[in-house]
Amino acid sequence: MSLVQERMVDQIVESFVGSAQAAPGMLSDFRYVNFTTSGGIPRWYFDLPIAPNGNDPYVANKQVITSMRMGSDNNPIGEYAHTKMGDFYLPLLWSYSIPLSNGGVGKLNELASSGLFIRGVDQGLDGHEFNLLRQNSPVPGGLTYSGLFADTGETPIPAATSANNFEHRSAKNKAIIPFNYRTDLKVLSSSFNSFKTTNPKSFNRRDMAQRTIEAAIKSIQKTQGTNSPYMSAIKANRDNAMELLSSDFATIDADYQVLYDKYQALIIAASKMPLPGVTTAPIYAKAGDSRFNVLISENNPGVQATAQTGDIRIGFENILPNPAFAHAFALAEFLITKNLSSSVVANLGFWNNFDIMNYNSFNPATQKYDLFESASKPRALSSDAHTTGAFPALILFTRHFHAYATCLHEFMTVLKAKNIYDQTLIHTTTDFNRIPRVDGSGADHGFSGCATSIFSGRIKQTLVVGNISQNSSSRGTWGDAADNSALGNRKINLGNVASTICSIFDLPTPAQNDSSLVTLGANKTVMIPKDKPKNAA
């Protein structure tokens, strides 16, 4: 039995005993899901509205676009376009149709109406790994989101993650269990096989765990009586733990496969949908124009598109995300809806199958493809898009967030059907936002102007909060944090985000010196301060 599996068995027992010892009302059983993409992807395509009030003044940047078209002079034009959702204007993507798991077509209004969009977050320091860790651990050495939510319940697996280099701290010392994505889809059974009845050592440990749980039940009945107000909850938790310990897991892989296939089918269906302003009309490259560069994940300086390339959409026709994308949602749905875990942090991975042969031009003089000796195989695209120009970036990241919104809508629908969306918070993160280059040739680390989005059944209308600069460092409006009067004329930091997340569920914040950006109204619904988000001069 591996150390991970040993700890999982221990946690099943500890979780049950913990719930048995808790007083009535102490356990809230909230759920936290963090979907993250490493690399630092630009957020103005999805959850960083540039003009949230519709008429906000902003300075255009060639990289910060959400739609494109060919001009009358046959030159490509990029524009920032948005759509109204409730009282605010979100990036154009929110107007798109999405595929549904029942084969139909839906809209994103329902998802947007339960979303809180926080823009203008100053993370203070640069660095990929450092800032990715801070998305779950906002206060150095403090409790993590995964730990805070694990502490609210007594699920058999308090917290789970598919991310690497992960920090997790819980006030109750609740463990986090890693789940590694596998090509054979045995994501769950590979971790649970220590419980299988064919393993004598596992049987001995499982039998001991069962005896410990039953002894705890008898002790409670003796001291509290069989009619204890929380005995029914304890027995339900006992049944959950016993089922997990006693199962031979014969169907666990099949059950997981169904979920994985569902989300993979949604991703493929989304990739075939026309995205108005992005994929519905040809966009022709211009020779030597850096706005058409594409960075692939092989440490190359970028793929230079030339006039012979033609319509740039060709290179992106067959791109699909890494299998981790569908795994992330399958894992979250399985663990959360079966009440096996209170916290799930899952990395989405990034996109593959970029058709470099059709995108990169052939040089007749050298009889070679530019930058590559061979362009015969599709390439993986880089999420760290320093030199991915405005037009391919628009296609790539819109496709990414459209697929994400499609899967997120499905996950939300399942949570609502289970009546647990009001007790769940979904957090969208990446290392940082990007600061766009003036010429539209790419974007660099924008750690001083980050954004994040939160979705929950406790949010009853589309909400946007946070001020940004109109023209930061002469780069235009891209999300760079500006002062907020509600915070004493300072910028939003990760501590404010932490206090906001915790306030939604009345949890103690790890950032006690940083106030929440929202308040709770009637029936614990989320409200924002009266100050509207502003673009500061």
Side-chain angles (χ1 to χ4, degrees):
M1 186 185 296
S2 70
L3 289 176
V4 169
Q5 293 163 342
E6 286 269 357
R7 188 59 180 139
M8 190 182 296
V9 176
D10 290 339
Q11 278 299 149
I12 291 173
V13 177
E14 290 172 12
S15 295
F16 171 76
V17 174
S19 66
Q21 293 174 342
M26 284 183 63
L27 300 177
S28 303
D29 199 20
F30 297 137
R31 299 160 182 88
Y32 172 78
V33 180
N34 182 335
F35 292 115
T36 189
T37 304
S38 58
I41 58 178
R43 306 298 283 260
W44 52 78
Y45 305 104
F46 179 67
D47 56 3
L48 200 170
I50 295 298
N53 300 301
N55 59 354
D56 305 86
Y58 69 91
V59 177
N61 177 288
K62 292 181 179 179
Q63 188 80 21
V64 184
I65 61 175
T66 57
S67 69
M68 58 186 176
R69 58 185 174 86
M70 295 301 295
S72 57
D73 59 354
N74 208 32
N75 282 311
I77 297 172
E79 300 169 316
Y80 179 80
H82 54 205
T83 185
K84 191 171 185 182
M85 287 284 166
D87 294 331
F88 293 100
Y89 289 79
L90 300 182
L92 183 63
L93 178 146
W94 289 90
S95 67
Y96 294 157
S97 298
I98 57 169
L100 303 177
S101 59
N102 63 7
V105 175
K107 289 288 189 179
L108 290 170
N109 304 61
E110 188 178 4
L111 180 62
S113 66
S114 62
L116 168 62
F117 302 85
I118 304 175
R119 60 184 205 148
V121 181
D122 185 359
Q123 295 183 179
L125 296 171
D126 197 2
H128 281 288
E129 184 175 331
F130 170 71
N131 278 307
L132 191 61
L133 289 174
R134 295 172 74 199
Q135 303 310 312
N136 182 55
S137 179
V139 178
L143 299 181
T144 61
Y145 295 131
S146 56
L148 282 163
F149 279 79
D151 286 341
T152 70
E154 293 297 344
T155 52
I157 303 168
T161 183
S162 69
N164 297 321
N165 301 321
F166 189 75
E167 289 188 358
H168 171 80
R169 288 179 292 274
S170 155
K172 299 180 181 179
N173 295 318
K174 297 292 186 68
I176 188 163
I177 305 300
F179 287 83
N180 296 318
Y181 301 147
R182 298 160 55 105
T183 56
D184 60 3
L185 293 181
K186 293 183 178 180
V187 176
L188 298 175
S189 64
S190 63
S191 295
F192 287 140
N193 62 15
S194 63
F195 305 140
K196 290 183 177 178
T197 56
T198 55
N199 185 336
K201 292 183 180 179
S202 297
F203 176 82
N204 293 337
R205 189 166 184 81
R206 188 178 64 252
D207 188 53
M208 180 184 69
Q210 291 173 343
R211 289 198 303 269
T212 302
I213 289 173
E214 292 300 335
I217 285 279
K218 292 179 180 179
S219 176
I220 294 169
Q221 289 176 332
K222 184 176 181 180
T223 58
Q224 301 290 335
T226 56
N227 295 322
S228 170
Y230 51 101
M231 182 59 71
S232 61
I234 291 172
K235 287 183 176 180
N237 201 305
R238 183 271 309 274
D239 293 341
N240 190 18
M242 296 288 277
E243 179 181 357
L244 189 59
L245 287 166
S246 301
S247 173
D248 63 4
F249 300 98
T251 65
I252 194 168
D253 290 330
D255 293 342
Y256 183 83
Q257 177 84 53
V258 169
L259 296 180
Y260 176 85
D261 289 346
K262 176 181 73 168
Y263 284 108
Q264 187 66 6
L266 284 171
I267 292 167
I268 293 172
S271 73
K272 298 181 183 302
M273 277 192 156
L275 306 178
V278 178
T279 65
T280 51
I283 294 293
Y284 297 103
K286 303 288 289 186
D289 190 335
S290 58
R291 293 179 299 167
F292 292 96
N293 287 357
V294 178
L295 183 67
I296 64 171
S297 58
E298 295 181 9
N299 297 318
N300 294 101
V303 178
Q304 180 68 51
T306 69
Q308 293 96 331
T309 300
D311 186 355
I312 69 170
R313 298 177 302 167
I314 294 174
F316 295 90
E317 284 183 345
N318 297 314
I319 64 170
L320 284 173
N322 184 291
F325 206 112
H327 275 303
F329 280 94
L331 182 66
E333 181 175 327
F334 190 94
L335 294 178
I336 294 296
T337 60
K338 292 184 179 297
N339 201 32
L340 293 175
S341 185
S342 301
S343 296
V344 178
V345 180
N347 197 317
L348 298 175
F350 207 57
W351 290 65
N352 300 320
N353 293 333
F354 175 62
D355 189 349
I356 191 173
M357 177 173 283
N358 281 325
Y359 193 89
N360 196 31
S361 68
F362 185 74
N363 187 332
T366 62
Q367 294 293 301
K368 295 179 180 179
Y369 287 88
D370 293 346
L371 297 181
F372 294 96
E373 292 295 327
S374 172
S376 60
K377 71 172 184 177
R379 306 298 176 104
L381 290 154
S382 175
S383 57
D384 189 12
H386 285 279
T387 56
T388 296
F391 297 116
L394 174 60
I395 297 176
L396 171 61
F397 291 113
T398 302
R399 289 277 297 273
H400 173 83
F401 282 119
H402 182 246
Y404 176 68
T406 296
C407 293
L408 194 58
H409 183 276
E410 170 65 18
F411 187 43
M412 174 200 71
T413 301
V414 171
L415 295 177
K416 283 188 172 183
K418 298 283 187 180
N419 294 317
I420 56 176
Y421 191 45
D422 284 3
Q423 273 62 54
T424 304
L425 186 143
I426 304 169
H427 193 189
T428 307
T429 66
T430 186
D431 317 13
F432 37 64
N433 187 29
R434 312 296 296 196
I435 178 170
R437 298 180 181 181
V438 175
D439 61 359
S441 64
D444 301 306
H445 298 182
F447 59 89
S448 64
C450 303
T452 195
S453 51
I454 296 166
F455 300 91
S456 174
R458 294 198 172 193
I459 302 170
K460 303 299 184 182
Q461 58 183 320
T462 304
L463 301 174
V464 180
V465 64
N467 298 341
I468 63 176
S469 171
Q470 284 183 36
N471 194 15
S472 173
S473 303
S474 300
R475 303 284 189 102
T477 310
W478 58 271
D480 199 23
D483 291 341
N484 295 260
S485 59
L487 299 178
N489 293 317
R490 69 164 179 80
K491 300 171 182 176
I492 296 173
N493 60 30
L494 287 175
N496 297 119
V497 176
S499 294
T500 300
I501 288 174
C502 291
S503 70
I504 293 174
F505 288 95
D506 293 323
L507 299 179
T509 176
Q512 297 182 3
N513 294 326
D514 297 311
S515 60
S516 171
L517 304 172
V518 302
T519 58
L520 294 184
N523 300 319
K524 295 185 177 181
T525 57
V526 178
M527 308 291 290
I528 61 172
K530 293 181 180 179
D531 289 344
K532 291 184 177 181
K534 299 180 180 67
N535 291 352

